[in-house]
């Protein structure tokens, strides 16, 4: 799997930046192993992070079913800033 994240610079007066999930894509190795900058206009940067493995767990089957049958299924991606550079976080599925 690959994750596309957006980082908005100063979205309001209380935040220096905001990260949001743009998309989760099937990754069959076409994007390599390193993060790629898809867009950077000075206000928003979109990055593609390839190489994630999606793991499904049998004991979570009911939750998967409820999410998929809700009419608006969502992805859950944990996003943690790197200590050495908080502007370059690393996602995990």
């Amino acid at each position: 799997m690959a994750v596309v994240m957006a980082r908005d610079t100063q979205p309001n007066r209380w935040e220096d930046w905001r990260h949001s999930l743009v998309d989760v894509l099937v990754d069959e190795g076409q994007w390599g192993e390193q993060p790629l900058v898809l867009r950077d206009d000075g206000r928003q940067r979109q990055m593609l992070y390839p190489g994630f493995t999606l793991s499904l767990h049998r004991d979570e089957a009911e939750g998967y079913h409820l999410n998929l049958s809700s009419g608006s299924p969502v992805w859950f991606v944990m996003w943690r800033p790197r200590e050495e550079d908080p502007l370059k976080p690393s996602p995990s599925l």
Side-chain angles (χ1 to χ4, degrees), residues 10 15 18 29 34 42 58 66 85 88 90:
Q10 295 185 322
E15 297 176 288
R18 177 186 311 144
Q34 298 299 316
R58 188 176 300 276
L66 292 172
D85 187 352
K88 294 182 180 176
S90 53

Side-chain angles (χ1 to χ4, degrees), residues 30-56:
Q30 67 269 37
W31 295 299
E33 298 178 7
Q34 298 299 316
L36 303 170
V37 176
L38 301 177
R39 173 183 181 219
D40 190 349
D41 64 8
R43 298 270 315 142
Q44 185 183 76
R45 172 183 267 189
Q46 288 188 0
M47 298 281 296
L48 182 135
Y49 295 88
F52 291 96
T53 302
L54 175 64
S55 299
L56 299 177

Side-chain angles (χ1 to χ4, degrees), residues 14-27:
W14 298 281
E15 297 176 288
D16 291 329
W17 58 83
R18 177 186 311 144
H19 292 96
S20 57
L21 178 65
V22 174
D23 207 352
V24 177
L25 307 167
V26 174
D27 180 2

Side-chain angles (χ1 to χ4, degrees), residues 59-74 76:
D59 60 338
E60 297 290 336
E62 183 179 357
Y64 302 147
H65 172 73
L66 292 172
N67 185 24
L68 290 171
S69 63
S70 72
S72 298
V74 297
F76 296 92

